[in-house]
């Protein structure tokens, strides 16, 4: 009898011990997702949309703005160029700011810049100002805008890495990436429809101010990281630059020769595609109006490129997360030739009474190029394991090419004696050849997804434990 009691006591003790072990082990889950990631994503997307509007805002109304304010077309172009120029150093400063102050503080700085830019720009529309005074205020407003915009754009891969796991990271990056060109598309659609140029700038100010409170919905980071990559201390931009130069860096930042070569290809292709798209957004009226298209038609064609691309990007994002998750480089090799050929075809397509063909070409370029934004950013993160630094560098490249393309367009513009006057035929030839040459390098890209492989390995180990 005593042996039976002892056995029962031993079994009860064993069950209690097992319950204690379960209570201790289950809460130690290493990776976790939070519903707050969707709230932050929506807020970041809306802020990114509005921050992107000022850049191409003056493209469709360039000729009207020049006439009403007594500006030259080159002066109007510089209202967009200043955004790209200030973007360059700002993009490189964002990674250290995020590392030190967090995502939420960086977003709040961007919100302040967006509001300041909106109302300084509107102050420049006062009728009492001279053309020089009005231009100075418009330029200062655009300068503040160029500080706010890159903050929401560059941090996209870092936000998705911080809050999303492997099944949602590419989708989150895609949504954030396309929200910027979507803002550009909205800007192109709204600016010519909002009345005269002064009313148009006022509408932009009201929209910018209305969305700023959303910035308080963006948090620093989740209590528990969603993946192994999110749990690691972020690498600095300096370490990425040293790794690209082949210098000695910490083990986590080291890159092979193949990875350095791949990242160089990604930077060049990303820069040329962003430069071509942004350049067309800025120059749409100057490209199309000399051959007989109205400012509204110019805006609609630019918007067609961006909106068609947005639809394709949203539809393809889940596929890249779940079906082609290990085939990002192959996807780039399939899509990029269509983009390059589309830009090359504009050499002959930009002519009078060719509206349908132009809309088709814009649609093809958009459908194939906008999904490449997320693919490019994710591939850059994969080969560098540095979400902050790689994003800053490729967006730096995109804006550098944008400035170059717009300046080259001004230099290649035909004179008043051209046929038709002030046409940009020579610029379209230049752009088409450059796009073909750079996009061809995608066939040299290997794009091994090292970060994803490491995340999958650590996730499997955690589940096994």
């Amino acid at each position: 009898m005593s042996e039976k009691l002892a056995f029962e006591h031993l079994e009860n003790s064993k069950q209690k011990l097992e319950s204690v072990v379960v209570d201790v082990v289950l809460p130690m889950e290493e990776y976790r997702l939070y519903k707050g990631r969707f709230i932050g994503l929506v807020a970041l997307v809306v802020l990114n949309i509005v921050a992107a509007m000022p850049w191409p805002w003056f493209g469709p109304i360039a000729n009207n703005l020049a006439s009403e304010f007594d500006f030259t077309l080159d002066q109007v172009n510089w209202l967009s160029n200043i955004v790209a120029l200030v973007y360059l150093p700002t993009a490189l400063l964002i990674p250290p700011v995020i590392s030190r102050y967090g995502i939420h503080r960086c977003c709040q700085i961007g919100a302040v810049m967006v509001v300041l830019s909106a109302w300084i720009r509107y102050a420049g529309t006062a009728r009492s100002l001279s053309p020089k005074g009005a231009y100075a205020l418009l330029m200062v407003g655009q300068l503040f805008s160029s500080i706010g915009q890159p903050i929401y754009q560059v941090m996209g891969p870092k936000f998705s890495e911080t809050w999303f796991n492997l099944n949602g990271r590419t989708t989150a990056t895609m949504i954030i990436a396309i929200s910027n060109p979507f803002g550009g598309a909205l800007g192109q659609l709204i600016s010519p429809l909002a009345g005269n140029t002064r009313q148009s700038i006022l509408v932009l100010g009201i929209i910018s101010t209305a969305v700023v409170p959303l910035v308080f919905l963006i948090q620093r980071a989740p209590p528990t990281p969603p993946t192994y990559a999110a749990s690691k201390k972020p690498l600095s931009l300096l370490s990425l630059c040293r790794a690209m130069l082949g210098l000695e860096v910490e083990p986590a930042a080291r890159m092979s020769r193949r990875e350095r070569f791949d990242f160089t290809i990604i930077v060049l292709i990303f820069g040329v595609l962003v430069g071509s798209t942004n350049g067309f957004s800025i120059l749409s009226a100057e490209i199309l109006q000399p051959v007989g298209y109205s400012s509204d038609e110019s805006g609609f064609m630019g918007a067609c490129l961006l909106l068609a691309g947005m639809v394709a990007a949203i539809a393809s994002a889940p596929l890249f997360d779940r079906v082609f998750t290990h085939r990002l480089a192959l996807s780039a090799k399939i899509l990029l030739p269509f983009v390059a050929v589309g830009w090359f075809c504009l050499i002959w397509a930009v002519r009078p009474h060719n509206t349908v063909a132009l809309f088709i070409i814009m649609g093809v370029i958009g459908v194939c190029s906008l999904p490449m934004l997320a693919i490019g950013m994710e591939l850059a993160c994969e080969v560098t394991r540095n979400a902050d630094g790689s994003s800053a560098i490729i967006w730096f490249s995109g804006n550098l090419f944008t400035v170059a393309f717009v300046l080259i367009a001004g230099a290649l513009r035909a004179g008043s004696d051209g046929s038709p006057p002030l046409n940009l035929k020579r610029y379209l030839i230049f752009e088409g050849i450059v796009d073909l040459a750079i996009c061809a390098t995608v066939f040299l890209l290997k794009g091994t997804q090292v970060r994803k492989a490491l995340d999958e390995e650590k996730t499997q180990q955690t589940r096994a434990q």
Side-chain angles (χ1 to χ4, degrees):
M1 188 70 177
S2 61
E3 292 179 356
K4 184 177 180 181
L5 291 173
F7 180 79
E8 290 176 354
H9 178 72
L10 181 62
E11 286 294 316
N12 291 335
S13 299
K14 183 179 179 182
Q15 290 176 359
K16 290 179 180 179
L17 180 60
E18 288 176 348
S19 66
V20 171
V21 171
V22 171
D23 288 341
V24 172
V25 172
L26 286 180
M28 292 179 64
E29 184 67 32
E30 188 174 352
Y31 308 126
R32 183 179 174 185
L33 289 172
Y34 295 85
K35 293 181 179 178
R37 69 190 187 276
F38 296 113
I39 298 174
L41 178 63
V42 171
L44 184 57
V45 165
V46 175
L47 289 164
N48 201 4
I49 288 171
V50 173
M53 285 184 180
W55 190 347
W57 190 269
F58 299 108
I61 59 174
N63 294 316
N64 297 335
L65 184 68
S67 174
E68 188 171 341
F69 285 80
D70 198 21
F71 299 157
T72 65
L73 285 176
D74 285 336
Q75 284 181 307
V76 175
N77 288 344
W78 269 103
L79 292 175
S80 298
N81 280 348
I82 188 64
V83 177
L85 280 176
V86 179
Y87 192 117
L88 300 179
T90 303
L92 300 180
L93 292 174
I94 291 171
V97 172
I98 294 176
S99 298
R100 183 167 182 178
Y101 299 106
I103 291 173
H104 63 312
R105 287 283 181 266
C106 203
C107 287
Q108 290 166 12
I109 294 171
V112 172
M113 296 297 105
V114 168
V115 172
L116 284 175
S117 71
W119 297 111
I120 292 174
R121 194 186 299 114
Y122 180 65
T125 64
R127 296 184 182 275
S128 59
L129 293 172
S130 66
K132 290 184 178 180
Y135 188 73
L137 285 174
L138 288 173
M139 184 66 77
V140 172
Q142 291 295 89
L143 187 148
F144 278 104
S145 174
S146 60
I147 298 174
Q149 180 185 355
I151 289 176
Y152 301 112
Q153 197 170 22
V154 169
M155 73 166 53
K158 180 61 179 176
F159 181 87
S160 61
E161 181 183 81
T162 302
W163 284 91
F164 289 81
N165 66 3
L166 296 177
N167 292 331
R169 196 160 60 191
T170 303
T171 300
T173 301
M174 182 82 76
I175 293 171
I176 296 170
I178 64 175
S179 63
N180 188 272
F182 178 65
L186 281 182
Q188 288 184 303
L189 284 172
I190 296 172
S191 64
L193 301 177
N196 60 42
T197 53
R198 287 178 168 82
Q199 293 170 335
S200 180
I201 294 171
L202 174 60
V203 168
L204 178 59
I206 294 171
I207 294 173
S208 300
T209 307
V211 303
V212 162
L214 292 175
V215 75
F216 297 108
L217 300 177
I218 301 174
Q219 303 176 46
R220 182 187 182 98
T224 303
T227 61
Y228 174 76
S231 68
K232 304 302 291 182
K233 180 182 177 182
L235 299 172
S236 67
L237 176 63
L238 179 60
S239 69
L240 175 56
C241 295
R242 289 179 60 85
M244 285 297 294
L245 294 173
L247 302 177
E248 187 62 30
V249 292
E250 58 186 291
R254 288 175 186 164
M255 298 174 63
S256 67
R257 183 177 298 177
R258 178 75 236 190
E259 288 171 338
R260 294 199 297 270
F261 181 70
D262 281 355
F263 187 58
T264 301
I265 292 175
I266 293 168
V267 170
L268 285 174
I269 293 176
F270 194 95
V272 166
L273 292 186
V274 171
S276 298
T277 304
N278 288 342
F280 186 83
S281 298
I282 295 167
L283 300 167
S284 57
E286 299 171 47
I287 291 173
L288 297 169
Q289 286 189 10
V291 294
Y293 298 95
S294 67
S295 60
D296 288 349
E297 289 174 320
S298 303
F300 290 150
M301 288 183 189
C304 173
L305 185 157
L306 298 174
L307 294 176
M310 278 191 55
V311 173
I314 293 172
S316 63
L319 295 177
F320 289 122
D321 258 331
R322 299 176 182 274
V323 180
F324 305 115
T325 182
H326 298 96
R327 298 289 184 269
L328 295 183
L330 177 62
S331 301
K333 293 175 183 179
I334 294 172
L335 294 174
L336 278 175
F338 291 98
V339 179
V341 171
W343 287 117
F344 191 71
C345 288
L346 286 182
I347 298 173
W348 299 275
V350 176
R351 64 176 190 267
H353 312 299
N354 199 31
T355 305
V356 174
L358 284 172
F359 272 111
I360 291 174
I361 292 173
M362 291 295 103
V364 170
I365 292 174
V367 166
C368 296
S369 64
L370 259 71
M372 287 302 306
L373 289 177
I375 292 174
M377 286 190 285
E378 285 295 301
L379 276 176
C381 293
E382 294 292 340
V383 300
T384 64
R385 280 82 65 196
N386 189 328
D388 291 351
S390 62
S391 179
I393 289 176
I394 62 178
W395 281 115
F396 178 98
S397 171
N399 285 271
L400 183 63
F401 274 98
T402 297
V403 174
F405 281 10
V406 173
L407 292 178
I408 290 170
L412 295 179
R413 182 186 289 113
S416 55
D417 57 344
S419 177
L422 305 178
N423 71 80
L424 285 174
K425 178 79 170 182
R426 290 185 295 176
Y427 167 71
L428 292 175
I429 295 172
F430 164 82
E431 181 186 43
I433 293 173
V434 169
D435 284 0
L436 275 179
I438 297 298
C439 287
T441 63
V442 73
F443 296 105
L444 303 176
L445 179 69
K446 185 176 181 181
T448 303
Q449 296 173 235
V450 180
R451 182 186 64 161
K452 183 178 286 292
L454 188 58
D455 279 340
E456 290 173 340
E457 178 185 345
K458 295 296 182 181
T459 301
Q460 290 174 358
Q461 290 177 2
T462 301
R463 289 173 179 172
Q465 292 173 359

